[in-house]
Amino acid sequence: MPYALDGNPSQSEISDAINYLLSNFSTGVTSDPNTGEVKGPTGNILSYLYKYMAIKYADSFDGSVNFSNSPTNRQYFGLRNNDAAAESSNFTDYIWNKVTGGFGTTKFLWYVSTGGRQIQFAVSTTAPDTGWLIDPGASIDLDVVTSGNIPVIAETFFSYFTPNTLQVPRSGLPLTPSFTGVQAALYSIDKGSVVPFTDAQTDSNVGFVNNSWRIGNSSTTGNGDISYTNITVGSPTDGGDFAIWPAPTAMSANPAYISVPVRYKNNLGVVTQAAVATVQFIFADPGATGYSGPTIDISGFTGFTQNAGGAFTPATATLSAITTNITSPTYSWAITGGTPTSSTASSVVITPNSSATSVTVVLTVNGSNLSSPGSKTVVMPIVYDGATGAAGANGVMSAFPTIYQWTGSSTPPTRPTTTSTYTWSTGAYTAPSGWASSAPSNTTQGNYLWTITYPLNVSATTTTSTLDWTDTGNPIRAIAYNGTVGPTGSAGAATFVITRTANDSSPPTNSEVSALLGRTPVAGDICTLSYNSSNNAIVYRYITSWTTFVTYITGSLIVSDTITGDKIAANTITGDRIAANTVTATNINSNNLTIKDNSGVVLFGAGTNLNYANITPATGWLNSNVTINEVTGVISLGGAGGGSVTAVTPNNKISSSNISTYMASAAIGTAYIGDLAVNTVNIAGQAVTFSTITQSTTQLNMPNGTQWYDYLTTPYTYITGTGIVVIQWNPMLILGGGSSFGYGRISISQDGTNWTIIDETLLGYIAVDAMGASFCGITKATLSAGSYYFKLSLMGTSGGGTRCERANILISEFKK
């Protein structure tokens, strides 16, 4: 079975460690976790709980006088049982034993270890018997058995509480007990091994198996047989091989007891009634405050700094002794590494030695009330502050200048034949002709971006470096390629508003959606249709066709005075929908009020003509016998009643300012006109639409004869998509060499980023040097409805002298 215990053994581990020893003893056996002692009924030490035994010697009952590791001339020896092999240097950790006549110079402490962590000691000049050994001066391993005579211990079933006495701490006034962590634990052993506990309440319970024990005083009783004296506590539970009680809740008197009858079933199934196990609870009250002990300390200690010249800062240090509870103190200073080397005063001024690395000070104080002197040691460090060291070597700088060039071929471009200068302070350098120091923008499909990198690794003091682009050790690499433009994705759903002046709430038409979005409806579209001059609205949702998108709003969400009558469809609110007495005259707006007869015919209302057939006038209410002079236009009222009539006389002329008042649009069908004078002609349907001309006079140099240069981009232009779009472009080019060609390209984009080439053409040819000419290009295209950017790009094959002086773009759309 295991005997080794760590520094914090569990209850089960402690019981295992003493099983072998306790098997032949009665309930008087106790163990003390603080000292490690396991004692029998008469108080004799049977064994120890922990693995190691440390031994020290002294000349006083408490070990404070001449505490040492040697027995020579000592009067006492001290024992400490612990789970750590290292011996303690604190005399209060030991249990001291008086040696009759003392050790003198010929006596020694002998021991014999007989197993089960049993050990015996003897003071003698010679070994008491075979296997006895002298204290080795280090901790003794109690699990190592010496060759001495090992006693044979009988084995039997035995139950015990560990510890068998539990302390209940009390504090405060009045004293109040605290039961936290106070829990009784009952173990049983047989033949040197732990017997597991079962919480069975009868012998016939299936849990009461062979080689187990339970609580009870008969075959049919259990926990009810437990005796509780002066204590209130719950029933025990299975703690795993042992019975454990919860913490008590009250203790009426001191001491208190729990007495437990135990029944044991051995390996053969025979049940026997074992001895009663008892645990004691006692109050542990705080004792009186003890006297303050003596203390020794030193003030004023510090560290020193020594410079390259040998001088110290500070030059000296004044140390003073601080003591408490020492009567008539005397002082003794011992100083190493400084001057003076000793002193007997209560303070001392110390100067460090020039060659010292630290100053060690030991203060020893004695007093008439001390059994032995006490001491305090401090170490004052000396730090050397040397001269400034030599400057280190220069560092290294690295850079990776790179040049770039786009080409339309997968074949690398020609390597430069010149060099450049790299300025380290700014990182600036100039690329050779035809190359750039940063990657130029290029969106031409099929083009390659080539680079040459010239790595630099130079001393940190370098100001400029030569970039030799002709060095073939730095390869020309392709790092990018413009792929083809992918297919246009399908249109996404949108939320939008269509406005109609007419009182027409029918679903949106494809032409209305196309005019607004440039496409026909797609699944997920949501359209708010505002109609009747924005007085009404309805929401539609498109899946495969337009359906009404219904939204219900509870009355609690409607803000007062926000819904007016013109917003409510006719016949949608009936009396059964309105709570009684909720609509009063003050809540009704009489604006646009309509009055109907019993048949529902509108008699009077805003926007409805008053029908004379629906009116029965009173006598004299109307004017009668109204006449108009055919020449003068004068109106005569010959009847009774009030009112007046106003008319346009024949002498009034129709002018440009009032023609829309007196003549309807398209009132004249076919006109037979002799001579026609017209200021402006508007062709029906806008069959021809001219956009604004876009032009630029910015000079553009085109040094590379194989590269396209973007010159001019139009504003965002809307195309209806119902006819042919004609783009007319007129660049003014200066071609700088003999046999030079000028080229033009038109590209379009709907987002200003992704461009599509729709035309590319040769503009002209010049056979002489540095001659300018205006060129004209015309591009026709069929485009779907939408807004577009149009971009003009140019290229001249003559190279360095080519440039564009100005250009314009005219966009026209001719409807079919």
Side-chain angles (χ1 to χ4, degrees):
M1 67 182 178
Y3 290 106
L5 299 176
D6 59 19
N8 186 26
S10 67
Q11 301 285 3
S12 178
E13 290 172 332
I14 293 175
S15 67
D16 282 351
I18 63 174
N19 281 338
Y20 182 75
L21 298 172
L22 299 182
S23 60
N24 202 32
F25 297 97
S26 66
T27 57
V29 176
T30 61
S31 62
D32 188 340
N34 296 318
T35 64
E37 295 176 342
V38 179
K39 294 183 178 180
T42 61
N44 58 311
I45 298 175
L46 303 177
S47 66
Y48 290 89
L49 295 176
Y50 307 114
K51 180 178 176 67
Y52 295 99
M53 179 67 71
I55 303 173
K56 296 293 180 182
Y57 304 91
D59 284 335
S60 63
F61 70 95
D62 60 356
S64 63
V65 179
N66 294 329
F67 178 75
S68 71
N69 201 40
S70 171
T72 302
N73 294 324
R74 300 283 79 85
Q75 301 297 314
Y76 293 85
F77 70 91
L79 302 177
R80 180 175 187 257
N81 182 225
N82 190 263
D83 216 27
E87 293 186 325
S88 171
S89 60
N90 186 349
F91 59 82
T92 62
D93 289 339
Y94 292 80
I95 298 175
W96 295 95
N97 301 273
K98 175 70 173 176
V99 177
T100 302
F103 283 98
T105 59
T106 60
K107 295 179 184 178
F108 300 94
L109 183 64
W110 300 79
Y111 76 93
V112 61
S113 178
T114 57
R117 294 185 179 171
Q118 296 181 93
I119 188 170
Q120 299 179 42
F121 295 99
V123 178
S124 174
T125 57
T126 60
D129 201 349
T130 303
W132 287 75
L133 302 175
I134 293 178
D135 169 23
S139 291
I140 298 170
D141 189 341
L142 299 184
D143 290 340
V144 177
V145 179
T146 65
S147 57
N149 296 323
I150 302 175
V152 177
I153 299 177
E155 299 178 330
T156 185
F157 179 82
F158 171 67
S159 297
Y160 61 94
F161 281 96
T162 182
N164 65 349
T165 298
L166 293 172
Q167 294 184 348
V168 179
R170 295 196 297 179
S171 61
L173 290 175
L175 291 171
T176 303
S178 173
F179 296 101
T180 302
V182 180
Q183 290 185 263
L186 179 60
Y187 296 82
S188 295
I189 58 173
D190 185 34
K191 300 180 181 65
S193 300
V194 172
V195 178
F197 167 72
T198 176
D199 58 2
Q201 297 299 297
T202 64
D203 288 353
S204 60
N205 189 285
V206 294
F208 192 28
V209 298
N210 291 353
N211 193 37
S212 68
W213 65 276
R214 72 175 187 85
I215 296 173
N217 202 30
S218 70
S219 62
T220 59
T221 57
N223 291 345
D225 296 334
I226 301 173
S227 173
Y228 297 97
T229 304
N230 299 332
I231 196 164
T232 303
V233 65
S235 298
T237 58
D238 189 349
D241 290 344
F242 62 95
I244 186 167
W245 276 256
T249 57
M251 186 170 157
S252 59
N254 187 47
Y257 301 93
I258 300 177
S259 298
V260 183
V262 175
R263 293 180 66 79
Y264 169 56
K265 179 182 286 189
N266 64 18
N267 290 331
L268 300 177
V270 177
V271 179
T272 58
Q273 188 72 42
V276 174
T278 301
V279 62
Q280 177 181 252
F281 297 81
I282 60 173
F283 288 135
D285 298 336
T289 303
Y291 293 105
S292 298
T295 64
I296 302 173
D297 205 349
I298 299 174
S299 68
F301 65 90
T302 182
F304 299 95
T305 300
Q306 185 180 26
N307 63 22
F312 288 96
T313 303
T316 62
T318 300
L319 305 187
S320 300
I322 301 174
T323 62
T324 57
N325 301 318
I326 298 178
T327 304
S328 302
T330 59
Y331 309 95
S332 175
W333 299 85
I335 302 158
T336 303
T339 303
T341 59
S342 64
S343 176
T344 57
S346 61
S347 64
V348 62
V349 179
I350 298 174
T351 301
N353 296 338
S354 60
S355 60
T357 58
S358 64
V359 178
T360 301
V361 179
V362 180
L363 169 64
T364 302
V365 179
N366 205 350
S368 60
N369 64 327
L370 299 181
S371 59
S372 61
S375 64
K376 172 72 175 182
T377 301
V378 296
V379 177
M380 295 185 288
I382 298 177
V383 178
Y384 181 72
D385 185 9
T388 302
N394 289 326
V396 177
M397 299 186 298
S398 297
F400 299 89
T402 302
I403 56 176
Y404 304 84
Q405 183 180 138
W406 284 96
T407 72
S409 170
S410 61
T411 301
T414 303
R415 180 178 292 277
T417 58
T418 60
T419 62
S420 302
T421 298
Y422 184 85
T423 303
W424 283 97
S425 61
T426 62
Y429 58 97
T430 302
S433 176
W435 295 78
S437 59
S438 61
S441 175
N442 184 292
T443 59
T444 304
Q445 300 179 32
N447 277 16
Y448 291 81
L449 178 60
W450 302 90
T451 65
I452 301 176
T453 298
Y454 193 91
L456 296 175
N457 191 39
V458 300
S459 170
T461 58
T462 304
T463 57
T464 61
S465 296
T466 299
L467 305 177
D468 186 2
W469 305 112
T470 66
D471 185 358
T472 57
N474 301 313
I476 302 175
R477 294 187 175 93
I479 65 168
Y481 172 74
N482 288 341
T484 58
V485 177
T488 302
S490 58
T495 300
F496 51 91
V497 177
I498 291 177
T499 302
R500 293 177 185 163
T501 303
N503 187 9
D504 179 7
S505 62
S506 61
T509 64
N510 286 357
S511 60
E512 288 177 315
V513 175
S514 180
L516 183 65
L517 303 181
R519 61 165 175 79
T520 56
V522 298
D525 279 353
I526 296 177
C527 173
T528 299
L529 180 64
S530 175
Y531 63 98
N532 192 18
S533 298
S534 299
N535 287 317
N536 302 90
I538 186 170
V539 180
Y540 286 97
R541 182 181 182 184
Y542 190 87
I543 301 178
T544 56
S545 61
W546 291 104
T547 58
T548 304
F549 196 80
V550 180
T551 302
Y552 296 94
I553 302 176
T554 60
S556 62
L557 298 178
I558 300 175
V559 179
S560 178
D561 301 327
T562 59
I563 298 180
T564 56
D566 60 328
K567 304 298 183 182
I568 303 175
N571 303 318
T572 58
I573 300 180
T574 56
D576 60 336
R577 302 293 183 182
I578 302 175
N581 302 319
T582 59
V583 179
T584 61
T586 58
N587 294 330
I588 299 176
N589 186 341
S590 60
N591 295 342
N592 296 323
L593 187 64
T594 300
I595 301 175
K596 301 179 182 180
D597 62 12
N598 292 335
S599 301
V601 177
V602 176
L603 299 179
F604 185 79
T608 302
N609 293 330
L610 184 62
N611 191 335
Y612 69 91
N614 295 326
I615 302 175
T616 304
T619 303
W621 181 64
L622 295 176
N623 279 312
S624 58
N625 298 326
V626 178
T627 60
I628 300 175
N629 188 289
E630 64 179 3
V631 176
T632 64
V634 176
I635 301 173
S636 299
L637 304 177
S644 62
V645 178
T646 302
V648 178
T649 65
N651 293 329
N652 290 341
K653 296 182 179 180
I654 297 176
S655 65
S656 59
S657 62
N658 64 16
I659 187 170
S660 61
T661 303
Y662 302 113
M663 181 174 290
S665 176
I668 300 175
T670 302
Y672 299 89
I673 302 173
D675 296 323
L676 177 65
V678 181
N679 292 332
T680 302
V681 177
N682 290 326
I683 301 175
Q686 296 182 342
V688 180
T689 302
F690 294 97
S691 67
T692 303
I693 295 176
T694 303
Q695 59 184 358
S696 174
T697 59
T698 300
Q699 180 176 292
L700 171 67
N701 292 320
M702 298 184 288
N704 190 343
T706 60
Q707 179 176 330
W708 286 96
Y709 293 87
D710 297 337
Y711 182 74
L712 178 61
T713 301
T714 69
Y716 214 29
T717 303
Y718 179 71
I719 301 300
T720 66
T722 60
I724 301 298
V725 177
V726 177
I727 305 102
Q728 181 178 342
W729 33 289
N730 301 87
M732 171 63 181
L733 297 180
I734 303 298
L735 300 178
S739 300
S740 299
F741 294 87
Y743 294 88
R745 172 189 288 170
I746 291 294
S747 306
I748 62 171
S749 172
Q750 288 190 292
D751 56 10
T753 300
N754 300 299
W755 292 90
T756 300
I757 300 171
I758 63 172
D759 190 17
E760 185 175 296
T761 185
L762 172 65
L763 295 175
Y765 165 76
I766 295 178
V768 298
D769 292 340
M771 179 176 180
S774 287
F775 299 95
C776 177
I778 297 178
T779 299
K780 293 189 292 184
T782 300
L783 302 177
S784 58
S787 295
Y788 296 84
Y789 294 101
F790 295 83
K791 180 172 67 178
L792 172 61
S793 302
L794 302 169
M795 179 173 69
T797 62
S798 59
T802 301
R803 65 183 183 272
C804 179
E805 296 289 336
R806 60 182 180 272
N808 59 57
I809 299 176
L810 173 63
I811 310 298
S812 302
E813 183 179 13
F814 295 86
K815 292 187 178 180
K816 296 179 180 180

